[in-house]
């Protein structure tokens, strides 16, 4: 019985003090006056409390007592309802660590923004870090879009304060439909969530009679990839607007990571600006990997053998270049007025031996090099040289310590000679080595016979003429033929078996009793 009396007494005392506390606190009955005020305004003169009062009241409950956390937050929530100023309520937002409570207080603050708020007032709210990117911000912006004149609305660019999410993209497209300045489209696009939406916004700029610079800025901000065709529309419009090839190339170079679009743009650029093969040359390196497109670009400029030969130097693909040169061969042989000139010497090689001399972006034929080619070809039997159709001058191929001298690709008829060979006269005989590769590629039975005769178990029966020749049968034969041509008497003495094989099977009886090329640098 005593226990019950004590419990009743305790409950009574607790209820008494609780009632006393709340009756004396700053939280009286809710105000009934209109809570809608201007954002920048101060609390109403009839307001009896401030955010500082509420925070002070909340602080009466010790923060270290974790079980009182909800009590502390409740004071903040109830206090927010008692304040009439947006700015005062906002002071309470950062007083709690509970995300849900923060949002409730923020919603209460935003409810103070009424229909009489100006666009400047709304912008002040949007710039608040507690508001930017929230659903409340989206509502503020969408309401302002409907309420204010668009020209006034766009000056503040309020769309940049809304949340970047798929649900808001439709609204951004609505805004973009009213835009008259392409620069605004770039700003709107940056707020889009989907790449597709971004491109759709930017593509609307094509209808605004934009300048080239406007189109460049629109294009540079687009995404490219599967299903994003708007960027192609923009890039094409920019190229059409460009007034020079350099301007147009700025657009093409934006798409370096998307080769198909870049190639299509380059063909457009060539069609609009290129006037000769030299103009195409400025585009050629950008077409690397798309030789078909490069050939298409230059078709209208190929009017004779000389222009075709020069254009072939731009084509990197072996198959495409050789196919292209087959068309070039249909033109009448060139007639050179000066046989000692570069063009004259190139014409002579073609007319006498049917071999086209082709440059490359990194290597150019020189007159003295072609004179050597002429003398070498003249000394070789037709049966041997007939398989080589093109000689291409390459730049250096290798590194600081080693450079490939020459090469050919199996199944092709082009011999490539690099600067590593052609800038040292002692290495000019590399031409014969590479021509032997082409010959053997077209006469595989001779290569098989050579290997069977001079190699066993993967090693030469008798050492080849060089260390490189000892590496494998397919290099032993070209090295030996090169030695046969360059220094026949020496080979005949040192290795009569190899000498006789070459004389009979490759040179068809042609011999060189005196060294043809025993030159030192």
């Amino acid at each position: 019985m005593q226990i019950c009396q004590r419990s009743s007494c305790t409950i009574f005392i607790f209820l008494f003090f609780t009632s006393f506390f709340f009756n004396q606190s700053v939280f009286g009955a809710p105000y009934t006056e209109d809570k809608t005020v201007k954002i920048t305004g101060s609390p109403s003169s009839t307001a009896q409390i401030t955010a500082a009062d509420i925070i002070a009241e909340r602080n009466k409950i010790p923060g270290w007592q974790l079980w009182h956390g909800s009590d502390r937050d409740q004071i903040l929530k109830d206090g927010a309802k008692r304040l009439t100023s947006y700015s005062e309520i906002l002071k309470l937002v950062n007083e709690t660590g509970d995300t849900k409570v923060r949002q409730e207080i923020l919603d209460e603050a935003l409810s103070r923004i009424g229909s009489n708020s100006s666009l400047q007032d709304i912008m002040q709210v949007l710039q608040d870090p507690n508001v930017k990117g929230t659903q409340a911000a989206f509502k503020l912006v969408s309401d302002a879009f409907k309420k204010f004149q668009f020209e006034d609305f766009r000056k503040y660019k309020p769309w940049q304060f809304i949340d970047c999410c798929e649900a808001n993209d439709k609204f951004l497209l609505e805004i973009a439909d009213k835009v008259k300045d392409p620069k605004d489209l770039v700003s709107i696009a940056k707020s889009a969530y989907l790449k597709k939406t971004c491109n759709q916004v930017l593509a609307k700029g094509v209808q605004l009679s934009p300048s080239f610079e406007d189109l460049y800025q629109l294009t540079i901000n687009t995404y490219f990839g599967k299903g994003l065709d708007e960027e192609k529309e923009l890039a094409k419009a920019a190229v059409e607007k460009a007034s020079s090839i350099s301007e147009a190339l700025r657009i093409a170079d934006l798409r370096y990571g998307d080769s198909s679009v870049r190639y299509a743009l380059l063909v457009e650029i060539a069609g609009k600006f290129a006037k000769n093969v030299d103009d195409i040359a400025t585009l050629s390196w950008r077409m690397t990997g798309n030789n078909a497109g490069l050939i298409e670009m230059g078709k209208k400029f190929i009017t004779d053998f000389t222009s075709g030969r020069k254009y072939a130097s731009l084509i990197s693909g072996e198959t495409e270049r050789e196919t292209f040169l087959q068309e070039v061969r249909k033109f009448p042989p060139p007639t050179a007025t000066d046989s000692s000139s570069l063009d004259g010497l190139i014409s002579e090689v073609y007319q006498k031996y049917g071999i086209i001399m082709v440059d490359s972006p990194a290597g150019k034929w020189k007159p003295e090099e072609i004179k050597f080619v002429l003398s070498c070809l003249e000394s070789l039997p037709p049966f041997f040289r007939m398989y080589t159709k093109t000689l291409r001058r390459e730049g250096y191929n290798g590194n600081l310590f080693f450079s490939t001298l020459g090469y050919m690709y199996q199944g092709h008829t082009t011999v490539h000679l690099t600067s590593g060979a052609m800038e040292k006269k002692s290495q000019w005989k590399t031409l014969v080595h590479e021509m032997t590769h082409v010959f053997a590629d077209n006469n595989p039975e001779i290569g098989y016979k050579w290997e069977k005769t001079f190699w066993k178990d993967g090693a030469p029966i008798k050492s080849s003429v060089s260390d490189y020749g000892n590496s494998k049968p397919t290099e032993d034969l070209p090295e030996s033929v090169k030695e046969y041509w360059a220094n026949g008497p020496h080979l005949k003495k040192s290795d009569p078996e190899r000498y006789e094989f070459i004389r009979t099977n490759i040179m068809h009886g042609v011999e060189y009793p005196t060294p043809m090329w025993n030159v030192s640098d």
Side-chain angles (χ1 to χ4, degrees), residues 74 194 298 312:
Q74 188 62 47
L194 297 176

Side-chain angles (χ1 to χ4, degrees), residues 125-162:
V125 175
L126 291 173
Q127 292 176 45
D128 191 296
N130 293 297
V131 179
K132 183 178 179 180
T134 64
Q135 190 57 34
F138 175 78
K139 186 177 186 308
L140 286 174
V141 175
S142 58
D143 288 346
F145 178 66
K146 298 172 184 176
K147 174 183 175 183
F148 298 101
Q149 291 291 326
F150 184 73
E151 278 305 303
D152 294 329
F153 177 83
R154 63 163 285 276
K155 290 178 183 177
Y156 294 96
K157 296 180 172 51
W159 51 78
Q160 60 190 315
F161 297 100
I162 67 175

Side-chain angles (χ1 to χ4, degrees), residues 169 173 176 185 195-205 230:
D169 278 8
L173 289 170
L185 293 176
K195 293 179 180 179
K196 181 73 172 177
T197 304
C198 174
N199 282 11
Q200 288 174 331
V201 168
L202 295 167
K204 293 179 183 294
E230 296 82 8

Side-chain angles (χ1 to χ4, degrees), residues 58-101:
R58 186 278 312 271
N59 289 341
K60 291 180 180 179
I61 300 178
W64 55 268
Q65 294 180 353
L66 299 181
W67 54 88
H68 286 309
S70 59
D71 296 337
R72 291 166 60 87
D73 285 343
Q74 188 62 47
I75 293 174
L76 296 175
K77 289 193 293 183
D78 292 343
K81 295 176 181 178
R82 305 296 301 134
L83 296 172
T84 57
S85 166
Y86 164 84
S87 57
E88 281 295 297
I89 299 176
L90 210 60
K91 293 176 182 178
L92 303 180
V93 171
N94 293 322
E95 289 296 321
T96 176
D98 189 308
T99 303
K100 184 178 179 181
V101 175

Side-chain angles (χ1 to χ4, degrees), residues 68-259:
H68 286 309
S70 59
D71 296 337
R72 291 166 60 87
D73 285 343
Q74 188 62 47
I75 293 174
L76 296 175
K77 289 193 293 183
D78 292 343
K81 295 176 181 178
R82 305 296 301 134
L83 296 172
T84 57
S85 166
Y86 164 84
S87 57
E88 281 295 297
I89 299 176
L90 210 60
K91 293 176 182 178
L92 303 180
V93 171
N94 293 322
E95 289 296 321
T96 176
D98 189 308
T99 303
K100 184 178 179 181
V101 175
R102 286 168 60 89
Q103 187 60 51
E104 288 183 35
I105 296 174
L106 181 60
D107 290 342
E108 187 67 37
L110 293 173
S111 70
R112 301 301 190 269
I113 303 170
S115 58
N116 62 334
S117 299
S118 69
L119 194 53
Q120 291 91 330
D121 292 336
I122 294 173
M123 286 305 301
Q124 182 180 341
V125 175
L126 291 173
Q127 292 176 45
D128 191 296
N130 293 297
V131 179
K132 183 178 179 180
T134 64
Q135 190 57 34
F138 175 78
K139 186 177 186 308
L140 286 174
V141 175
S142 58
D143 288 346
F145 178 66
K146 298 172 184 176
K147 174 183 175 183
F148 298 101
Q149 291 291 326
F150 184 73
E151 278 305 303
D152 294 329
F153 177 83
R154 63 163 285 276
K155 290 178 183 177
Y156 294 96
K157 296 180 172 51
W159 51 78
Q160 60 190 315
F161 297 100
I162 67 175
D163 185 25
C164 182
C165 65
E166 186 173 353
N168 294 344
D169 278 8
K170 184 178 179 180
F171 175 57
L172 292 175
L173 289 170
E174 290 181 32
I175 298 175
D177 283 334
K178 291 195 173 186
V179 165
K180 296 180 180 179
D181 186 346
K183 296 180 181 63
D184 287 337
L185 293 176
V186 174
S187 175
I188 295 171
K190 289 180 178 179
S191 296
Y193 176 75
L194 297 176
K195 293 179 180 179
K196 181 73 172 177
T197 304
C198 174
N199 282 11
Q200 288 174 331
V201 168
L202 295 167
K204 293 179 183 294
V206 176
Q207 310 301 323
L208 300 179
S209 300
S211 65
F212 170 78
E213 278 303 323
D214 287 334
L215 284 169
Y216 177 80
Q217 290 301 321
L218 292 171
T219 305
I220 202 173
N221 283 285
T222 56
Y223 292 97
F224 56 91
K226 186 177 181 180
L228 301 175
D229 294 335
E230 296 82 8
E231 60 97 9
K232 299 176 185 177
E233 178 188 352
L234 269 171
K236 186 175 181 180
V239 168
E240 291 174 354
K241 195 77 173 182
S243 58
S244 66
I245 193 169
S246 59
E247 276 191 346
L249 287 177
R250 287 173 63 194
I251 301 298
D253 290 345
L254 291 177
R255 288 295 168 260
Y256 196 78
D258 189 344
S259 57

